[in-house]
């Protein structure tokens, strides 16, 4: 009986304990109702009513009051909401207050509707709905917050809703030290904002003003001293688009009881005292020690495990908002937030005597962290700093120490190649640390994109072109894309990529010609992606110009640019940083094309741009190469005009048009009659000059032996001379005619600067003049050669020397004026080299050869005797 009775009692005790635990687990936190605290500083609402254009939602705040009693750990809040119209009835008739029942008690003091000067009380406990509110659930963070809500009844236009409440209790994780930012920012107009910090006299509190908030006043109260700020008629301060994360121009006051960064370090060290590991975690660490051939391999194994096998999820209720969970628990449950993962990684590394420390950072403040007063609230993220090896004569701190973000999964590469984001500054939780430290950017990565566009013949609607894209992501860029790719549905990604080109080239019909091909080389820290599409109706027809054209659109890079509107800017400009893209567009044309040859660089403190356009004759490819790299996370507002100009220049060069006129459209409408007339005038002038030169005879008046027959090497000169007029004419009319004698060739650089256009056109005229003159000169040389005139050797030497000087001058001018480069430049250098060789051979031969002297002996007078008379 005794045993049975004891057993029953134990069962009842266990049952009651279970019921108590379940009841507590599912209990809804209660709210209190009481009058406002006596210590609250009385404030009479003031300020003006806004105009209708200064607020949204149909209502505005006419009063906002926040008072904090540090000694009572209580925050009192009061606000008055003015309902203006029907939208305000819809949007402003609910009162909702968020609180954490783990350490806060919520007490409501008043809910009143003011109508026509009459107060209509609305505070009734039974009207409240108290529900869990996980504000960060979408980020896999559970903070245990609740909301206490009241849906007000019978709200009418013109009503004023007054609400006051208090939250009592602070998160014990902060060890009774207070810190907060008092913001005077308002999205919509607020008639009156009031803050008060109340504390016993002598309690040391630090304040720092940002962006000119209202001046603080101090009032003596029964509770001690009230530090007050009062601001009326508060309007929203607008921002320009695309500003950096850290940029804040709203007035606010930072309040803190932490007197130094060392105090914050000591506060953090209370939570990050690494315990000796035991159990399953110790077994795993011992296993890694045995299997690792080096300390570096052990660290890599530990980092990969914490990053990839411990999923990101935070239970941040109560003190665990800032206190990490025990590493053994995190290892067992296989999940944790940033501080849990960082603490676990430190525990694993220290178990193998590897020096490492948690590091507090803020993903928004970044490099501006040290501008703020010391406070734990300055941080929202935890990472790890670890030492790989000791420093030595050939190793500095950068080589010996690396930083790891344990929340970044799927990182690739060796340990020394791990990417670490640009957090700017951080506070190292290490004994003796007194200030934030600067953080390096580790292996940010880059990407290369090569876009090959294969065009069919113009006007051929049956033939398909194709587009092939090869993208390679390296280091940090590979980490980001690897994660995106793993979380994506491949078929949906294929459709998205296909639609990207459909939207870019709306006139053409794009289809996948093969599935997306990708290679994840994680150990090498790169990720490669190949896209292949067919393209129908690539060419468009312009009925006005009567020609086909194809627009080249570098949208892949354009989408990464910030193009500013043409208006005055007041704020700095956000740059995606770090970012480095080398982008190449290769248009396979099927034949020679006249395209703009250009190359330029822009190098600023915040970014680098490089551009190059050239035609590769050997491949019949128009190649456009772009490089865009950011070097800072923003552009100062003082340089906004320069940035706008640079981005517009780059954007202009991401859009080109290839037309059939580039092949040499010598239609009547495209003929450049100005250059045609210039060539005809050059012919007339050359004919007059060379007719007079024909009379030149250096041996006139001398007795010479009769000319010997043409033979030997002289015959080769004769063949070359006979072909020269036809070769030059063919080159001018066939290969260069589309440039010299068409409007499209004359205007090919019209989108460039005025000096470049002028230089280009002067060069064209110079080439035309010289080539036409050389045609006439070669005709004269033919007459002189076959008449065996005495002037031929010297004039042919002049002809060859002039050709050499022209080729050299033309190549140099083209290079300096509009950036001839690549294969075209190589071709011109070959022409220079060939002309030098020919001149080096034939000019000495013509002046030294006995056969030449014996062949070309006829003077102008003797040649006239040999000519038959008109009668004959």
């Amino acid at each position: 009986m005794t045993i049975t009775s004891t057993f029953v009692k134990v069962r009842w005790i266990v049952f009651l304990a279970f019921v108590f635990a379940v009841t507590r687990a599912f209990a809804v936190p209660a709210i209190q109702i009481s009058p406002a605290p006596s210590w609250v500083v009385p404030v009479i609402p003031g300020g003006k009513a806004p105009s209708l254009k200064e607020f949204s939602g149909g209502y505005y705040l006419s009063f906002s009051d926040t008072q904090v009693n540090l000694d009572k750990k209580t925050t009192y809040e009061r606000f008055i909401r003015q309902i203006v119209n029907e939208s305000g009835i819809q949007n402003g008739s609910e009162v909702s207050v968020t609180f954490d029942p783990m350490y806060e008690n919520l007490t409501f003091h008043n809910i009143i509707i003011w109508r026509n000067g009459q107060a209509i009380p609305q505070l009734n406990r039974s009207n409240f709905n108290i529900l869990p509110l996980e504000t960060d659930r979408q980020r896999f963070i559970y903070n245990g917050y609740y909301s206490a809500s009241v849906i007000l009844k019978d709200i009418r236009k013109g009503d004023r809703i007054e609400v006051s409440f208090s939250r009592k209790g602070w998160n014990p994780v902060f060890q009774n030290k207070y810190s907060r930012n008092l913001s005077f920012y308002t999205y919509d107009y607020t008639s009156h904002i009031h803050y008060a910090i109340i504390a016993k006299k002598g309690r040391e509190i630090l304040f720092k003003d940002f962006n000119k908030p209202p001046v603080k006043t101090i009032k003596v109260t029964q509770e001690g001293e009230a530090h007050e700020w009062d601001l009326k008629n508060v309007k929203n301060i607008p921002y320009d688009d695309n500003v950096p994360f850290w940029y804040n121009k709203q007035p606010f006051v930072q309040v803190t009881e932490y007197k130094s960064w060392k105090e914050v370090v000591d506060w953090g060290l209370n939570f990050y005292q690494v315990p000796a590991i035991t159990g399953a975690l110790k077994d795993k660490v011992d296993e890694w020690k045995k299997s690792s051939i080096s300390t570096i391999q052990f660290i890599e194994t530990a980092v990969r495990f914490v990053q990839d096998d411990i999923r990101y999820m935070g239970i941040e209720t109560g003190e665990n908002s800032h206190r990490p969970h025990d590493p053994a628990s995190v290892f067992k449950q296989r999940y944790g937030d940033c501080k849990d993962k960082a603490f676990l990684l430190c525990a694993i590394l220290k178990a193998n005597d590897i020096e490492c420390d948690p590091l507090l950072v803020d993903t928004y403040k970044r490099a501006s962290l040290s501008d703020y007063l010391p406070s734990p609230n300055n941080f929202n993220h935890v990472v790890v700093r670890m030492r790989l090896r000791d420093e030595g004569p050939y190793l500095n701190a950068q080589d010996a120490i690396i930083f790891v973000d344990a929340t970044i999964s799927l990182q690739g590469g060796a340990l020394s190649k791990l990417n670490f984001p640009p957090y700017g500054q951080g506070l190292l939780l290490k004994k003796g640390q007194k200030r934030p430290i600067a953080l390096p950017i580790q292996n940010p990565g880059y990407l290369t994109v090569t876009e090959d566009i294969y065009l069919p013949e113009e006007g051929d609607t049956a033939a398909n072109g194709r587009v092939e894209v090869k993208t390679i992501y390296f280091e940090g860029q590979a980490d980001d894309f690897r994660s995106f790719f793993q979380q994506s549905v491949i078929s949906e990604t294929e459709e998205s990529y296909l639609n990207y080109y459909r939207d870019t080239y709306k006139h053409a019909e794009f289809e996948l010609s093969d599935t997306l091909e990708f290679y994840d080389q994680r150990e090498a820290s790169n990720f490669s992606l190949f896209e292949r599409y067919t393209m129908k109706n690539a060419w468009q027809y312009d009925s006005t110009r009567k020609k086909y054209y194809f627009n080249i659109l570098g949208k892949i890079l354009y989408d990464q640019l910030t193009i500013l509107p043409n208006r005055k800017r007041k704020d700095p400009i956000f740059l995606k940083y770090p970012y480095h893209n080398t982008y190449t567009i290769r248009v396979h044309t099927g034949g020679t094309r006249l395209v703009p040859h250009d190359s330029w660089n822009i190098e600023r403190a915040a970014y680098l741009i490089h551009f190059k356009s050239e035609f590769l004759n050997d491949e019949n490819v128009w190649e456009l190469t772009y490089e865009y790299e950011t070097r800072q996370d923003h552009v100062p507002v003082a340089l906004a005009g320069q940035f706008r100009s640079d981005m517009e220049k780059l954007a202009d060069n991401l859009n080109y048009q290839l037309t059939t006129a580039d092949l040499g459209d010598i239609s009547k409408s495209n003929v450049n009659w100005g250059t045609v007339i210039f060539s005809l005038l050059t012919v007339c002038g050359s004919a007059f000059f060379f007719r007079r030169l024909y009379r030149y005879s250096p041996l006139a008046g001398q007795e010479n032996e009769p000319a010997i027959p043409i033979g030997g090497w002289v015959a080769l000169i004769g063949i070359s001379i006979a072909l020269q007029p036809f070769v030059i004419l063919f080159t001018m009319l066939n290969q260069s005619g589309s440039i010299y004698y068409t409007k499209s060739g004359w205007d090919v650089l019209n989108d460039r600067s005025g000096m470049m256009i002028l230089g280009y056109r002067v060069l064209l005229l110079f080439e035309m003049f010289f080539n036409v003159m050389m045609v006439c000169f070669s005709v004269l040389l033919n007459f002189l050669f076959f008449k065996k005139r005495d002037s031929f050797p010297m004039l042919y030497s002049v002809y060859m020397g002039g050709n050499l000087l022209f080729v050299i001058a033309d190549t140099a001018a083209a290079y300096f004026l509009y950036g001839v480069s690549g294969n075209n430049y190589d071709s011109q250098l070959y022409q220079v080299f060939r002309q030098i060789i020919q001149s080096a051979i034939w000019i000495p031969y013509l002046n030294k050869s006995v056969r030449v002297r014996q062949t070309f002996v006829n003077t102008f007078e003797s040649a006239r005797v040999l000519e038959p008379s008109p009668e004959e």
Side-chain angles (χ1 to χ4, degrees):
M1 286 294 293
T2 304
I3 296 176
T4 304
S5 175
T6 303
F7 179 72
V8 171
K9 290 180 181 179
V10 170
R11 283 200 307 173
W12 272 106
I13 292 172
V14 172
F15 175 73
L16 291 173
F18 173 76
V19 170
F20 175 77
V22 171
T23 303
R24 183 173 182 180
F26 288 93
V28 175
I31 64 167
Q32 306 297 320
I33 294 177
S34 71
S38 60
W39 52 261
V40 171
V41 177
V43 183
I44 300 174
K48 299 178 181 178
S51 66
L52 292 176
K53 63 182 182 180
E54 292 179 317
F55 63 92
S56 61
Y59 71 92
Y60 67 92
L61 280 180
S62 64
F63 183 55
S64 173
D65 184 20
T66 302
Q67 301 189 30
V68 182
N69 190 314
L70 300 186
D71 300 300
K72 296 184 181 298
K73 300 180 184 178
T74 301
T75 300
Y76 166 85
E77 295 187 50
R78 175 189 173 201
F79 66 83
I80 300 175
R81 186 181 295 167
Q82 179 70 55
I83 306 298
V84 177
N85 55 36
E86 290 78 7
S87 295
I89 297 173
Q90 176 67 42
N91 299 318
S93 297
E94 180 180 354
V95 175
S96 182
V97 177
T98 301
F99 67 107
D100 189 335
M102 291 284 287
Y103 55 83
E104 286 182 323
N105 292 318
L106 178 61
T107 300
F108 275 85
H109 310 304
N110 263 321
I111 299 180
I112 300 173
I113 298 174
W114 292 91
R115 181 179 301 156
N116 299 322
Q118 299 296 316
I120 306 174
Q122 297 285 306
L123 186 57
N124 190 327
R125 195 191 309 271
S126 62
N127 291 337
F128 279 91
N129 292 309
I130 302 175
L131 300 171
L133 180 67
E134 294 297 345
T135 56
D136 286 330
R137 186 174 181 178
Q138 71 279 6
R139 298 195 300 125
F140 303 101
I141 293 176
Y142 297 84
N143 49 35
Y145 289 167
Y146 275 73
S147 70
S149 301
V150 176
I151 299 175
L152 300 177
K153 301 174 182 178
D154 189 26
I155 299 299
R156 304 178 189 180
K157 186 167 64 174
D159 287 350
R160 286 189 301 133
I161 302 171
E162 180 178 351
V163 179
S164 61
F165 58 90
S166 296
R167 298 186 189 92
K168 185 173 184 179
W170 290 351
N171 191 335
V173 76
F174 295 118
Q175 300 171 348
N176 297 322
K177 289 187 178 181
Y178 182 80
S179 58
R180 176 177 174 171
N181 290 342
L182 309 180
S183 174
F184 295 89
Y185 162 77
T186 176
Y187 180 76
D188 282 340
Y189 183 97
T190 300
S191 300
H192 187 181
I193 295 178
H194 174 263
Y195 283 105
I197 303 294
I198 301 165
K200 289 181 180 179
K201 190 173 181 179
R203 185 162 180 169
E204 190 172 354
I205 312 168
L206 301 179
F207 303 94
K208 185 172 183 179
D209 293 351
F210 291 82
N211 305 317
K212 299 181 180 179
V215 176
K216 181 185 72 168
T217 61
I218 300 177
K219 180 186 297 182
V220 177
T221 69
Q222 292 181 352
E223 297 292 325
E225 291 181 334
H227 303 263
E228 289 187 276
W229 297 262
D230 203 75
L231 188 64
K232 294 183 175 67
N233 309 321
V234 186
K235 297 181 180 181
N236 177 35
I237 300 177
Y239 287 79
D240 291 325
D241 294 333
N242 301 301
V243 298
F245 297 127
W246 48 262
Y247 179 66
N248 185 353
K249 64 181 181 180
Q250 303 291 346
F252 67 97
V253 177
Q254 187 184 7
V255 183
T256 182
E257 291 190 278
Y258 293 86
K259 301 172 186 60
S260 67
W261 288 108
K262 182 180 180 301
E263 279 193 31
V264 181
V265 171
D266 293 340
W267 165 85
L269 286 175
N270 288 325
F271 311 134
Y272 288 92
Q273 296 297 318
V274 178
I277 60 173
T278 58
L281 178 56
K282 184 178 185 305
D283 294 340
K284 178 60 71 174
V285 171
D286 290 341
E287 177 187 329
W288 290 339
K289 286 181 181 179
K290 292 179 182 178
S291 61
S292 299
I293 60 175
S294 66
T295 301
I296 298 296
Q297 186 180 9
F298 176 86
I299 297 173
E300 287 178 349
T301 302
V303 169
R304 287 270 175 96
F305 173 79
V306 175
Q307 286 184 331
D308 298 346
D309 291 4
I310 305 297
R311 75 182 188 271
Y312 183 83
M313 189 176 76
I315 306 299
E316 300 187 351
T317 57
E319 287 196 42
N320 290 117
S321 61
H322 291 74
R323 179 191 293 274
H325 291 86
D326 179 67
S329 300
V330 176
F331 174 79
K332 182 179 180 180
Q333 65 198 19
R334 297 296 176 99
Y335 67 77
D337 60 12
C338 62
K339 58 185 178 295
D340 297 331
K341 288 165 73 91
F343 197 27
L344 173 60
L345 180 57
C346 286
I348 293 172
L349 297 179
K350 288 191 175 183
N352 199 14
D353 297 324
I354 297 167
E355 181 184 333
C356 61
D357 299 286
L359 179 76
L360 305 180
V361 299
D362 189 279
T363 56
Y364 294 98
K365 297 183 183 71
R366 299 200 172 190
S368 63
L369 172 65
S370 56
D371 295 339
Y372 290 76
L373 294 175
S375 168
N377 287 328
N378 285 329
F379 307 100
N380 66 357
H381 192 44
V382 186
V383 294
V384 175
R385 188 187 80 162
M386 65 183 71
R387 181 176 293 278
L388 297 183
R389 57 181 72 86
D390 292 332
E391 298 175 36
Y394 304 106
L395 293 173
N396 56 32
Q398 187 175 355
D399 299 315
I401 290 174
I402 69 163
F403 298 82
V404 173
D405 189 332
T407 64
I408 302 177
S409 60
L410 302 175
Q411 284 199 294
L415 190 61
S416 60
K417 293 295 182 182
L418 286 184
N419 166 246
F420 184 72
Y423 293 135
Q425 293 181 353
L427 187 64
L428 191 66
L429 296 184
K430 184 179 180 68
K431 190 173 182 179
Q433 190 67 35
K434 297 180 179 179
R435 62 184 60 87
I437 62 173
L439 304 179
I441 301 176
Q442 291 177 180
N443 310 304
Y446 59 98
L447 71 153
T448 63
V449 183
T450 303
E451 194 174 45
D452 281 284
I453 303 173
Y454 297 84
L455 295 175
E457 292 293 327
E458 295 95 327
D460 188 349
T461 57
N464 286 335
R466 68 183 194 275
V467 175
E468 297 179 356
V469 188
K470 178 182 179 181
T471 307
I472 306 178
Y473 303 86
F474 297 89
E475 297 172 351
Q477 293 279 346
D479 296 340
D480 295 340
F481 193 78
R482 183 181 297 112
S483 178
F484 161 78
F485 213 74
Q486 277 205 9
Q487 297 180 53
S488 302
V489 179
I490 303 300
S491 60
E492 293 179 359
T493 302
E494 284 182 338
E495 186 68 18
S496 173
Y497 278 43
L498 174 60
N499 289 335
Y500 183 87
Y501 276 95
R502 286 172 172 169
D503 294 339
T504 301
Y505 296 95
K506 297 182 185 299
H507 66 281
E509 300 173 28
F510 274 79
E511 297 294 341
L512 282 168
S513 62
D514 201 352
T515 59
L516 282 179
E517 183 181 347
F518 60 92
Y519 300 94
D520 183 3
Q521 296 178 296
R522 186 172 178 184
E523 295 303 322
S525 196
N526 66 66
F527 193 104
S528 303
L529 183 69
F530 297 86
E531 308 164 56
R532 299 178 180 89
Y533 310 98
T534 59
M535 176 175 56
K536 191 175 181 180
N537 296 326
W539 293 92
Q540 300 179 77
Y541 184 70
D542 186 339
S543 57
T544 303
R545 294 184 294 171
K546 297 182 179 179
K547 57 183 170 184
Y548 288 93
Y549 65 93
F550 176 77
N551 285 328
I552 303 167
L553 305 171
K555 194 169 184 295
I556 291 176
L557 179 56
Y558 182 85
D559 289 344
Q560 303 300 321
L561 305 181
T562 300
I563 307 299
L564 299 179
N566 189 19
R567 59 174 178 261
K568 187 176 180 180
R569 190 171 178 93
K570 300 178 181 178
D571 303 322
I573 304 145
F574 166 80
L575 290 181
K576 182 179 180 180
Y577 172 77
Y579 183 78
H580 189 181
N581 185 352
T582 302
Y583 179 36
T584 304
I585 303 175
R586 293 168 46 87
V587 184
H588 299 254
T589 62
T592 302
R593 299 276 177 167
L594 173 64
V595 302
H597 283 252
D598 199 3
S599 179
W600 48 264
N601 294 282
I602 295 174
E603 189 166 358
R604 312 292 187 198
Y607 52 90
L608 167 73
I609 306 171
H610 170 71
F611 169 72
K612 185 177 183 181
S613 168
E614 61 178 332
F615 192 83
L616 309 180
N617 290 316
D618 297 344
E619 304 176 55
N620 289 327
V621 168
W622 182 7
E623 187 169 271
L624 298 161
T625 305
Y626 309 85
E627 182 180 9
Y628 176 59
E629 179 183 7
T630 59
R631 297 175 169 181
Q632 295 176 1
D633 65 358
H634 74 287
V635 176
V637 67
L639 300 176
Q642 182 187 76
F643 176 76
R644 181 189 297 111
S645 177
D646 292 343
M647 291 298 107
E648 287 175 352
K649 182 175 182 179
L650 176 55
D652 288 344
N653 284 272
L654 285 166
N655 189 349
Y656 276 97
Q657 190 175 94
L658 185 68
T659 68
T660 51
D662 293 338
L663 286 171
D665 180 11
I666 314 295
S667 62
K668 185 176 181 180
S669 62
N670 196 37
V671 171
N672 188 343
W673 292 107
T675 55
V676 172
I677 293 172
F678 177 81
S679 295
L680 292 176
L681 291 175
T682 304
V683 170
C684 295
S686 299
F688 176 79
F689 174 77
F690 288 124
R691 185 174 181 275
R692 296 180 64 86
L693 190 61
Y694 177 74
R695 297 171 177 270
Y696 171 68
S697 184
L699 299 180
Q702 299 182 21
E703 291 292 332
N704 295 297
E705 296 292 329
I708 64 174
I710 293 174
W713 292 107
V714 174
L716 292 178
I717 295 176
I719 295 172
S720 174
I721 285 296
L723 295 175
Q724 281 298 305
F726 303 101
V727 171
I728 299 174
L729 281 173
F730 177 82
T731 301
M732 286 185 64
L733 298 178
N734 186 53
Q735 296 183 20
S736 301
S738 59
I739 303 175
Y740 293 158
Y741 302 117
T742 63
K743 294 176 183 177
S744 56
W746 185 253
D747 297 333
V748 72
L749 293 184
N750 269 5
D751 59 341
R752 299 298 184 265
S753 66
M755 289 302 298
M756 183 175 287
I757 295 172
L758 177 63
Y760 169 74
R761 291 178 176 176
V762 169
L763 185 59
L764 286 188
L765 292 176
F766 172 67
E767 289 180 355
M768 276 189 287
F769 172 79
F770 185 84
N771 284 324
V772 171
M773 187 183 69
M774 294 306 277
V775 170
C776 297
F777 200 174
S778 63
V779 171
L780 170 65
L781 290 175
N782 269 281
F783 278 100
L784 297 178
F785 179 85
F786 290 106
K787 287 182 177 294
K788 302 179 183 178
R789 284 285 308 278
D790 58 339
S791 59
F792 174 79
M794 187 183 69
L795 292 180
Y796 189 55
S797 298
V798 172
Y799 175 84
M800 297 195 71
N803 255 328
L804 174 61
L805 293 176
F806 167 75
V807 172
I808 293 174
D810 188 58
T811 300
Y815 177 80
F816 287 110
L817 283 175
Y818 53 89
V820 173
S821 56
N823 289 347
N824 289 323
Y825 189 53
D826 294 342
S827 176
Q828 288 191 275
L829 287 179
Y830 169 73
Q831 294 293 334
V832 172
F833 179 75
R834 188 181 70 173
Q835 200 65 41
I836 291 173
I837 297 299
Q838 288 180 345
S839 299
I841 293 173
W842 293 114
I843 291 176
Y845 176 75
L846 288 168
N847 289 277
K848 301 293 184 180
S849 170
V850 174
R851 189 177 188 91
V852 170
R853 287 200 301 270
Q854 294 175 347
T855 301
F856 300 101
V857 298
N858 295 328
T859 63
F860 173 68
E861 292 300 329
S862 63
R864 289 181 64 191
V865 172
L866 292 175
E867 292 178 358
S869 65
E871 292 80 5
E872 293 172 328

